[in-house]
Each structure stands twice: as C-alpha cells, then as structure tokens.
Amino acid sequence: MDNIILIGMPGSGKSTVGVVLAKALGMRFVDVDLLIQQREGALLQSLIDQRGVEAFLDLERDAICALDCRGTVVAPGGSCVCREESIAHMRALGTVVYLKLPLEAVEGRIRNLSSRGIALSPGQSLADVYRCRAPLYEKCAHITVCAEGRSLAETVEYVKTALADRR
C-alpha cells in the first residue's frame, strides 16, 4: 500500500488516528510536527512565537516536501494546506484523507490554544483559521471522512473502509 496522508484541523485526530491506523495496516507512522521540532530543536509554539507564522509555514512546507517514503501513514500539521507546494507534494506522495470535524467539535477539543503550536496570526481566532482552511482541506483531499461523534476505533475503521472503497 502506498502512503496515507491525514489532514485536518488541529484536534481532528491526525496523529492519534495515524498511529492506530499505521499499526492496523502494518505501516510506518510519521508526524511532521515532531520532525520539525526535532530538526529545529524547539517546540512548535516557540518557533511560531520567535519566527512568526509565515516563517513557520515555510518550515512546515520544507518538512513536507522533504518527505520521501513508502508504506507510511503521515500526519502533517494542520496548516499543511497553507502552501501550494505542500499540497502538491502530499497529493503526489499518496492518498490524502481529510479528517473532517465541524468547528464546534474542533473548539471542544482544543484546550491549549496559546501553547499548542497552531499557526495563528495575531488577532486570528480558531474560527477564522477554520473558515480559511476548510475549503483547502476539501480541495486537497482524495477522501473526506467525517470524524465527528466517532470513537478512535470507529474512525480508524471508517478510514480503512474509505481507502478500500477507493482502490
């Protein structure tokens, strides 16, 4: 099986679903946020605070575009759709699955907005980010999976079924 790239808003479950999905499919797992932190030697929020949102988005783009893997479930950051080069590389790398949640569910899951490492410009709210990114996730995705109201196990099974149906 080729790569599976999970996209969606912060809190949508990309990393959590990704780990379980990779295990269920016998694949590797890569979390791009962790790659960035390891490469830069700093937490995401520190990078955003020190360098600014645009520079962070460039770091994320560079990390995504450097991915060269097979048989891997990839969880890029929520802002992965903010750079055209990232979108193109993710789509070329494998099947892009959008873990879709309504704004209310995202807001309910994000408790640490100021420290989580979310690429928010000054004065921008989570709702602003959602309105900007949701159409980009839809455009980027090969498959959209509604994750609302599903347990982790149910979401993983739903993704597996959607992937099987696509083949």
Side-chain angles (χ1 to χ4, degrees), residues 49-128:
D49 292 344
Q50 294 168 5
R51 300 184 191 181
V53 171
E54 292 301 315
F56 174 78
L57 295 176
D58 290 343
L59 286 173
E60 184 177 52
R61 175 204 58 216
D62 294 347
I64 289 168
C65 289
L67 289 174
D68 183 17
C69 52
R70 291 288 167 254
T72 304
V73 176
V74 178
S79 51
C80 63
V81 292
C82 295
R83 294 288 189 260
E84 286 293 329
E85 301 94 338
S86 298
I87 292 171
H89 190 70
M90 288 185 298
R91 288 181 59 84
L93 203 56
T95 303
V96 179
V97 179
Y98 172 27
L99 298 179
K100 184 177 183 174
L101 280 177
L103 175 59
E104 299 74 28
V106 172
E107 289 174 331
R109 291 182 180 193
I110 303 291
R111 299 277 183 239
N112 52 346
L113 190 59
S114 63
S115 63
R116 181 157 173 149
I118 299 172
L120 292 169
S121 296
Q124 196 175 36
S125 70
L126 194 56
D128 295 332

Side-chain angles (χ1 to χ4, degrees), residues 108-166:
R109 291 182 180 193
I110 303 291
R111 299 277 183 239
N112 52 346
L113 190 59
S114 63
S115 63
R116 181 157 173 149
I118 299 172
L120 292 169
S121 296
Q124 196 175 36
S125 70
L126 194 56
D128 295 332
V129 170
Y130 187 92
R131 282 189 291 277
C132 174
R133 292 184 191 170
L136 298 173
Y137 294 135
E138 294 282 352
K139 177 183 169 188
C140 180
H142 295 107
I143 299 170
T144 298
V145 172
C146 182
E148 183 182 24
R150 289 194 168 94
S151 69
L152 173 58
E154 290 168 337
T155 301
V156 169
E157 285 305 313
Y158 198 78
V159 170
K160 286 171 52 181
T161 299
L163 289 165
D165 289 347
R166 185 171 190 273

